[in-house]
Amino acid sequence: MTRSLRELVKEYITDRRVRKCRLVNKDGRCNIEFGNVMHRNRLAYVLDIWTTFVETRWRFVILHFTASFTLSWFIFGLLWYWIARDHGDLEWQNPPENHTACAGNVDTLTYAFLLSLETQTTIGYGNIYVADVCPGAVALIVIQSLIGTIIHCFWCGVVMAKIALPKKRAKTITFTDKAVICPKKGTLCLQIRVANLRKTLMIGSQIYGKLLRTTITPEGETIILDQVSIDFMVDSGKDSLFFVCPFTLFHVIDKTSPFFEMAVDTLHQQEFELVVFLDGTAESTSSSCQVRTSYIPQEIMWGYDFLPIISRSKEGKYRVDFSNFAKEVPVPTAHCAYCYHNEAGHHHHSISGIDNKGFEVIDIEKPNVTKM
């Protein structure tokens, strides 16, 4: 009993490790790490400061937003205090009675900071003001106003760009968590269902996939993340899909498919990752976006099919029942692609042993047994 429990725990840990070691997460984020990046290459992130801030997380954007304004107010506050001191406007400098200050009522560093804040935010309470007796003060107020406008424009652009990112539109396009393999349209197909949760269309949608696996070339070279193209289609074709309601993607498992060599009892023993991409243009914003997800062998169910989700009401309206979006039902399915296409000599078997064709079946007569 203890050994059995230990094996179950080991199997669970192994399964969790396999699920984490995937290149693309279910939400489309790539799980990859860059190492040993040269310092001069890191400078490129600073040179492309706009893209860096647009791709930064919101918490860091808010932090840099607050720091940039506060730092600019403080730096210009120091300059205002320096001008007031240089002109002899401070109280401890004992200015004469007929003295005209460059910055009125700026007696301390706190008042200088307030003057800087009011200048850059155009508040202007009235107690603190700038006189025309100091050309340096006039030049400083012009410079600070221009720099403050640039900072405002930059952060407004960053916030608007982050809000309007195309990947936000991708959040309303969802794939099923599982893929299924079953007969469809006269052949064996791998199927994935995708849905657009908004009524606005995705214009020019295209579906394609990549099978990622580790392969060894005839020369003995090991290629990690070797990419094999996987073609998907729907009833309307491959390109320019009318993405108005959920539809099912089909990948035909024929002799050209990498799934042709797999069977129901060997599928989960494989090591690969199927990444599915959907490219399109949002109708409302005209921005291009890409939605992606991935499937590992444990997430592909052999011998299952999706339940129908589109129906028509009595009033003649089409209705989509999302409760059946990811539900699968078992259906009669061949053991392997070879079995489905009735190709001899390549059938897989889920039980141990082989057929002995030389075995001859004979009838055995029952012996006469005398009952006592």
Side-chain angles (χ1 to χ4, degrees):
M1 183 65 180
T2 306
R3 181 180 301 177
S4 177
L5 180 61
R6 185 180 302 174
E7 291 177 354
L8 292 176
V9 173
K10 184 178 180 180
E11 183 179 353
Y12 173 77
I13 295 176
T14 303
D15 182 66
R16 288 292 302 272
R17 187 182 298 113
V18 170
R19 291 175 183 271
K20 289 183 178 180
C21 296
R22 60 198 309 163
L23 179 65
V24 180
N25 295 329
K26 299 298 289 186
D27 57 359
R29 291 181 297 178
C30 295
N31 184 22
I32 191 169
E33 179 181 352
F34 295 99
N36 298 326
V37 179
M38 301 299 294
H39 294 286
R40 63 176 178 270
N41 294 333
R42 293 183 182 274
L43 183 62
Y45 293 97
V46 180
L47 297 177
D48 189 14
I49 190 68
W50 174 258
T51 306
T52 301
F53 275 108
V54 170
E55 295 179 349
T56 304
R57 295 179 180 271
W58 274 107
R59 53 179 174 267
F60 296 110
V61 170
I62 296 175
L63 176 62
H64 289 99
F65 173 88
T66 305
S68 62
F69 278 104
T70 305
L71 184 61
S72 64
W73 297 337
F74 181 73
I75 291 176
F76 280 101
L78 293 177
L79 294 177
W80 284 114
Y81 185 79
W82 176 77
I83 288 178
R85 180 179 177 180
D86 183 69
H87 194 254
D89 299 339
L90 304 180
E91 290 185 359
W92 59 270
Q93 292 179 313
N94 297 320
E97 294 182 358
N98 60 349
H99 177 77
T100 302
C102 289
N105 296 325
V106 176
D107 299 328
T108 61
L109 185 59
T110 303
Y111 275 107
F113 178 80
L114 290 176
L115 175 60
S116 174
L117 188 151
E118 294 175 13
T119 301
Q120 192 164 329
T121 57
T122 65
I123 296 177
Y125 289 115
N127 292 330
I128 305 175
Y129 58 91
V130 179
D132 58 353
V133 296
C134 298
V138 176
L140 184 60
I141 196 173
V142 172
I143 294 174
Q144 184 174 4
S145 299
L146 292 176
I147 293 179
T149 303
I150 293 174
I151 296 176
H152 275 89
C153 293
F154 178 81
W155 285 114
C156 287
V158 170
V159 172
M160 289 300 299
K162 286 187 67 65
I163 293 176
L165 278 178
K167 66 180 182 180
K168 302 300 181 182
R169 177 63 176 91
K171 298 294 184 182
T172 54
I173 298 177
T174 180
F175 289 87
T176 52
D177 292 333
K178 300 290 183 66
V180 298
I181 296 178
C182 66
K184 188 69 64 172
K185 300 182 182 298
T187 184
L188 192 65
C189 295
L190 182 143
Q191 302 180 58
I192 299 170
R193 182 169 281 174
V194 60
N196 180 13
L197 302 181
R198 291 187 180 272
K199 292 185 178 181
T200 55
L201 300 180
M202 292 292 294
I203 304 173
S205 300
Q206 296 182 352
I207 298 287
Y208 59 96
K210 295 290 183 181
L211 188 70
L212 309 179
R213 57 185 179 182
T214 302
T215 59
I216 300 178
T217 62
E219 294 78 14
E221 179 184 0
T222 301
I223 302 178
I224 300 177
L225 295 181
D226 184 25
Q227 300 185 15
V228 179
S229 297
I230 302 295
D231 293 330
F232 284 98
M233 64 179 63
V234 295
D235 294 336
S236 59
K238 295 182 179 180
D239 302 327
S240 301
L241 307 178
F242 186 40
F243 200 0
V244 68
C245 61
F247 56 79
T248 304
L249 311 177
F250 302 97
H251 167 68
V252 178
I253 303 179
D254 53 14
K255 292 183 178 180
T256 61
S257 172
F259 295 95
F260 193 75
E261 299 289 337
M262 302 178 190
V264 63
D265 54 349
T266 62
L267 175 63
H268 292 176
Q269 301 174 5
Q270 305 290 327
E271 293 184 4
F272 65 84
E273 182 175 352
L274 175 61
V275 184
V276 183
F277 303 87
L278 188 149
D279 296 339
T281 302
E283 183 183 30
S284 55
T285 60
S286 298
S287 58
S288 301
C289 67
Q290 182 182 88
V291 191
R292 52 186 176 265
T293 188
S294 70
Y295 299 90
I296 58 177
Q298 290 76 13
E299 295 170 345
I300 300 178
M301 305 177 63
W302 193 297
Y304 284 82
D305 194 5
F306 293 116
L307 287 175
I309 60 174
I310 301 178
S311 60
R312 200 167 184 176
S313 62
K314 296 180 179 179
E315 294 79 11
K317 293 184 178 181
Y318 293 97
R319 183 176 182 272
V320 179
D321 185 7
F322 278 95
S323 62
N324 293 336
F325 176 71
K327 290 184 178 180
E328 311 94 0
V329 291
V331 294
T333 306
H335 188 294
C336 61
Y338 285 106
C339 303
Y340 184 86
H341 295 285
N342 294 323
E343 295 192 13
H346 298 87
H347 296 272
H348 297 268
H349 298 276
S350 60
I351 59 176
S352 301
I354 59 174
D355 294 334
N356 187 356
K357 297 182 179 180
F359 183 78
E360 182 180 358
V361 179
I362 60 174
D363 295 331
I364 301 177
E365 297 181 358
K366 294 182 180 181
N368 295 327
V369 180
T370 303
K371 295 183 180 181
M372 300 297 294

